[in-house]
Amino acid sequence: DVQAFIEAQGAGAAEPTPASLTASGVIPLAGTRAIIARRMHESLHTMAQVTLHTEADVTDLVRMYERVKARFPVTYTDLVVRASALALRQHPRLNAVLDGEVIRLIPDIHIGIAVALDDGLIVPVVRNADRHSLAELSAERSRLAERARASQLSPAEVSGGTFTVTNLGGFDIDGFTPIINPPEMAILGVGRIVEKL
């Protein structure tokens, strides 16, 4: 079917090339890509990367999602960010940043949410995430994601995070090893939801 579709489009049609790809087939490591690469490299070489994997029964989360989405737009990421924000109140040592030779516990909970872009990854920050209702948090996450995809985020919208959530469940990923976003102390990586006995 794919081959028939291609042939129906005409053999002379040129294959589209991403804007960031040069004529030689090389993608320059510059701009956002370079910053992301540098920060991830820094994280791997300056911080202890301990990854723990566990499964959770999210039956109640799925029920909540079904109930809430009838009232306002919500994603599983919104629910995980909300749960993380509330959990950080109880575990303040995870809501911290590395500052030279000291760990600073931050009283405000600012959660970064990883957003995939064609040119890499960016982490806009939801300020005071624990003080938002779920509807407010969902609206703010959506607003930041739209600004990220339009390359319109300000420096203030991508800095000052105290904890990051990254969700690859939408890509059918079961588990992965997220890299801490320095100077933060922790990151939560979320995989897909699967039905099990």
Side-chain angles (χ1 to χ4, degrees), residues 45-108:
H45 288 280
T46 62
M47 304 180 85
Q49 303 283 329
V50 177
T51 303
L52 305 173
H53 294 267
T54 190
E55 290 185 2
D57 181 345
V58 294
T59 304
D60 292 340
L61 181 81
V62 172
R63 285 188 192 121
M64 176 186 272
Y65 170 76
E66 294 298 329
R67 260 191 341 265
V68 172
K69 77 174 186 176
R71 293 185 291 148
F72 57 86
V74 67
T75 66
Y76 282 113
T77 298
D78 298 330
L79 294 169
V80 170
V81 170
R82 176 74 176 144
S84 297
L86 297 177
L88 287 169
R89 284 184 188 166
Q90 297 174 7
H91 302 280
R93 288 183 179 218
L94 289 176
N95 194 61
V97 295
L98 184 61
D99 184 6
E101 298 298 315
V102 299
I103 297 170
R104 293 204 185 281
L105 302 182
I106 308 298
D108 297 316

Side-chain angles (χ1 to χ4, degrees), residues 146-159:
E146 286 175 23
R147 286 179 57 77
R149 291 185 184 103
S151 299
Q152 295 176 341
L153 289 171
S154 70
E157 290 173 317
V158 293
S159 62

